[in-house]
Amino acid sequence: MIRQDEIDILVDLSGHSGGNRLLVFARKPAPIQITAWGYATGTGMRAMDVFFTDPVMVPPQDKQYFTEEVRYLPSVVGAFSLESYPDVNELPALSDGIITFGSFNRLEKNSQETYGVWRRYYWPFPIAG
């Protein structure tokens, strides 16, 4: 179906985590295949072309250990909020050519318990709520 739909860029958001679809990627159904955000490291698969990360997660001297071409973003750390998210706005790429990435996969990961752990161990300042 991916080939039939002529998907040009296929992005993996699970890596080696449970329920992943790496066997689909191993068949190289899209010309460009990227792994990003869903797993903290590369896949080790020759069929995966690019790994999106940042220089904190993968320091430049460690790029040599990845099968994928490492491409740096300013930050791969996601954002979360106890408040409602804002309304969806016009796609930025339509007006300024900037591509925006986002993922709300596996929403069950977002819970009061998760926010509490982040608050206690990872957040450098108090969170309202």
Side-chain angles (χ1 to χ4, degrees):
M1 184 182 288
I2 294 166
R3 287 186 180 121
Q4 182 180 347
D5 289 346
E6 299 180 1
I7 302 297
D8 294 320
I9 301 173
L10 191 61
V11 181
D12 164 52
L13 297 176
S14 295
H16 288 281
S17 63
N20 70 66
R21 300 292 189 266
L22 291 178
L23 288 177
V24 172
F25 285 89
R27 292 179 178 93
K28 191 69 172 173
I32 300 171
Q33 298 190 153
I34 299 170
T35 187
W37 305 294
Y39 199 68
T41 189
T43 63
M45 297 171 55
R46 285 188 295 260
M48 198 66 74
D49 301 301
V50 175
F51 173 42
F52 282 160
T53 188
D54 64 33
V56 174
M57 296 276 290
V58 177
Q61 66 269 20
D62 291 345
K63 288 178 11 175
Q64 64 183 330
Y65 302 116
F66 289 81
T67 305
E68 304 88 354
E69 178 183 342
V70 174
R71 293 282 183 97
Y72 290 119
L73 300 174
S75 176
V76 295
V77 177
F80 72 93
S81 173
L82 296 176
E83 304 298 321
S84 296
Y85 287 95
D87 291 335
V88 176
N89 60 336
E90 181 181 306
L91 182 65
L94 295 176
S95 59
D96 59 20
I98 295 173
I99 297 174
T100 303
F101 296 96
S103 172
F104 284 94
N105 65 330
R106 299 186 187 179
L107 287 176
E108 66 271 11
K109 293 178 183 178
N110 294 332
S111 66
Q112 290 303 317
E113 181 180 358
T114 301
Y115 297 147
V117 170
W118 290 343
R119 182 182 297 132
R120 284 190 299 280
Y121 297 104
Y122 300 109
W123 203 253
F125 49 86
I127 299 174

